[in-house]
């Protein structure tokens, strides 16, 4: 069995995915977003960049991230968490030394992702936590029935930023990790949406733990519509915008070229 990290960048389904994985008896999820740099810095009172390798060793051994109440209940449990990765060489060496597998979460449809930000800058699903069922349903229905106009420049810049982030992750982490014989597996949000049980079980199989017989519950509700483009009143203009089409083509080329080289 292998420890694991899910690398994410927001609005990629990381919250429901890690929530479902945390319900597996052979998995200890070391906190929710406790390993993100901002959260670590706030909890520890100092920048963790220079000693992130020490933190990673501690987390994989104990199953507890700084500020988290989670901990391993069995020495046979694997430890995993979702992470906006940082630390470069120190991080890469610590991942390799802790028998860890890395899942690179990504969106195949980044235009829809950008539209979700254009519609709602705040992540509504976190507002649903603790609400009763009727209130949750009302909030979700209101969001899914609304309409909006998207600013083409905002959409373009959002996609461009996403592409830049994935390229940085590839340069600073994926390539170095592959050279350290760490297995890196791309996992697609859209696959999670269409085949959630198969998606979750593919992760479980990759880290060497038993599959779920049925899809586990998640603390997080799906808020946005997958076909969010039907809510965008100027979608035809967005879709035909030359700059947006160009950055989408760059992203598709990156997926086609780079993801095919990953060790599966």
């Amino acid at each position: 069995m292998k420890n694991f990290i899910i690398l994410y960048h927001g609005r990629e389904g990381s919250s429901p995915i890690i929530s479902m994985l945390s319900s597996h008896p052979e998995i200890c999820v070391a906190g929710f977003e406790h390993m993100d740099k901002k959260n670590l810095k706030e909890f520890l009172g100092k920048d963790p960049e220079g000693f992130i390798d020490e933190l990673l060793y501690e987390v994989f051994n104990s199953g507890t991230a700084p500020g988290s109440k989670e901990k391993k209940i069995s020495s046979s449990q694997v430890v995993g968490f979702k992470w906006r990765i940082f630390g470069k060489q120190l991080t890469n060496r610590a991942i390799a030394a802790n028998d860890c597998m890395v899942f690179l979460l990504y969106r195949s449809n980044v235009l829809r992702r950008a539209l979700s930000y254009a519609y709602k800058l705040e992540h509504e699903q976190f507002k649903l936590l603790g609400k009763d069922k009727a209130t949750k349903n009302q909030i979700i229905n209101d969001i899914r029935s609304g309409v909006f106009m998207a600013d083409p420049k905002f959409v373009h810049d959002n996609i461009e930023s996403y592409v830049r982030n994935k390229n940085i992750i590839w340069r600073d982490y994926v390539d170095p990790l592959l050279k350290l014989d760490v297995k890196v597996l791309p996992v697609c949000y859209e696959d999670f949406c269409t085949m959630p049980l198969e998606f979750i079980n593919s992760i479980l199989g990759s880290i060497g733990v038993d599959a779920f017989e049925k899809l586990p519950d998640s603390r997080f509700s799906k808020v946005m519509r997958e076909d969010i483009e039907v809510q965008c009143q100027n979608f035809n203009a967005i879709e035909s915008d030359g700059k947006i089409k160009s950055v989408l083509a760059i992203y598709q080329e990156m997926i086609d070229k780079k993801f095919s080289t990953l060790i599966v």
Side-chain angles (χ1 to χ4, degrees), residues 12 14 21 33 39 87 104 125 134 174 193 198 204 208 244 254:
E12 294 177 327
S14 62
L21 291 171
E33 292 180 356
N39 296 333
L104 179 58
Q125 68 166 321
V174 175
C193 291
E198 291 83 351
L204 298 179
I244 293 175
M254 182 189 77

Side-chain angles (χ1 to χ4, degrees), residues 164-200:
R164 186 184 311 116
N165 174 270
K166 292 303 182 191
N167 273 312
I168 290 172
I169 288 177
W170 194 279
R171 180 196 69 203
D172 292 345
Y173 301 99
V174 175
D175 268 345
L177 286 170
L178 292 174
K179 291 175 182 176
L180 292 170
D181 293 325
V182 173
K183 289 187 176 181
V184 182
L185 181 65
V187 286
C188 180
Y189 165 81
E190 283 76 10
D191 290 340
F192 173 66
C193 291
T194 57
M195 301 179 296
L197 179 60
E198 291 83 351
F199 178 96
I200 293 294

Side-chain angles (χ1 to χ4, degrees), residues 22-175:
S22 70
S23 67
H24 197 290
E26 295 178 273
I27 294 176
C28 174
V29 170
F32 182 64
E33 292 180 356
H34 293 74
M35 291 298 290
D36 284 0
K37 187 174 183 179
K38 178 182 177 181
N39 296 333
L40 284 175
K41 189 173 182 179
E42 181 177 335
F43 180 78
L44 298 170
K46 56 183 176 180
D47 191 334
E49 186 88 26
F51 58 96
I52 185 60
D53 55 336
E54 298 174 18
L55 288 176
L56 285 171
Y57 277 102
E58 182 180 337
V59 169
F60 285 123
N61 285 327
S62 67
T64 303
S68 171
K69 297 179 181 179
E70 303 299 327
K71 63 180 180 180
K72 291 173 69 172
I73 59 175
S74 167
S75 59
S76 62
Q77 281 184 308
V78 300
V79 175
F81 52 92
K82 67 172 191 161
W83 197 21
R84 290 184 175 99
I85 198 169
F86 68 92
K88 296 185 181 179
Q89 291 93 340
L90 290 178
T91 292
N92 294 331
R93 288 198 295 267
I95 289 174
N98 281 280
D99 196 22
C100 184
M101 185 163 184
V102 173
F103 296 95
L104 179 58
L105 189 56
Y106 73 99
R107 292 286 296 257
S108 62
N109 193 325
V110 288
L111 179 54
R112 283 180 172 173
R113 178 182 180 275
L115 289 175
S116 78
Y117 277 103
Y119 181 34
K120 289 284 184 182
L121 292 178
E122 294 183 359
H123 213 326
E124 299 290 338
Q125 68 166 321
F126 295 104
K127 294 183 178 181
L128 300 180
L129 295 176
K131 297 288 195 303
D132 61 79
K133 186 175 181 180
T135 303
K136 284 183 180 180
N137 290 339
Q138 185 61 55
I139 293 173
I140 292 172
N141 287 337
D142 289 346
I143 292 172
R144 292 183 179 181
S145 61
V147 295
F148 66 100
M149 297 284 287
D151 176 10
K153 184 178 186 304
F154 176 90
V155 172
H156 169 271
D157 291 351
N158 182 278
I159 297 171
E160 187 176 59
S161 174
Y162 186 79
V163 175
R164 186 184 311 116
N165 174 270
K166 292 303 182 191
N167 273 312
I168 290 172
I169 288 177
W170 194 279
R171 180 196 69 203
D172 292 345
Y173 301 99
V174 175
D175 268 345

